[in-house]
Amino acid sequence: MNESLHLVCPHCHTTNRVKSADLPNAPNCGSCHKPLFVAHSLALDEGNFDRHISRNHIAVLVDFWAPWCGPCLQMAPAFEQAAAQLEPTFRLAKVDTEACKNLSARFNIRSIPTLALFVNGCEVARQPGAMGAADIVRWALAHAK
């Protein structure tokens, strides 16, 4: 199967069309020519959140966190490790709930860290609490189907 997928560039936020068979070949953005996957999470804000959630044809796993939160800071390295393992079939992103209060309210975030998995623009699963990299990967793969 070699369908075309839409992928939003983590650098310039342009939507790219990429053949699914080309995902493992480290595709670059057609606009800014930077890699579409960098094995790290992407910081989203209120200005670019909807574009990444609705336009990506791959699952987007979002970590809602805050800079003052000890468990959030403890989970941050594990989330980055999970990004390296889950790309290119997932995009991992982080939303700072202190800086993006409207997103926190919109998604009714009551505890942090909270992971939310979006597929085709819709939230399909949510998990509060800190997890290790292996648990993040296992949880994401189980809920993306």
Side-chain angles (χ1 to χ4, degrees), residues 19-48:
K19 298 276 188 201
S20 59
D22 291 337
L23 287 180
N25 300 328
N28 289 329
C29 176
S31 182
C32 71
H33 308 291
K34 293 181 180 176
L36 290 175
F37 296 101
V38 293
H40 292 287
S41 64
L42 164 68
L44 295 180
D45 59 28
E46 292 169 357
N48 60 23

Side-chain angles (χ1 to χ4, degrees), residues 5-11 18-20 22-29 34-41 56-59 83-84 86-92:
L5 301 173
H6 287 169
L7 299 174
V8 180
C9 177
H11 308 286
V18 177
K19 298 276 188 201
S20 59
D22 291 337
L23 287 180
N25 300 328
N28 289 329
C29 176
K34 293 181 180 176
L36 290 175
F37 296 101
V38 293
H40 292 287
S41 64
N56 271 307
H57 284 172
I58 58 173
L86 289 168
E87 286 185 353
T89 54
F90 287 77
R91 167 84 67 217
L92 274 69

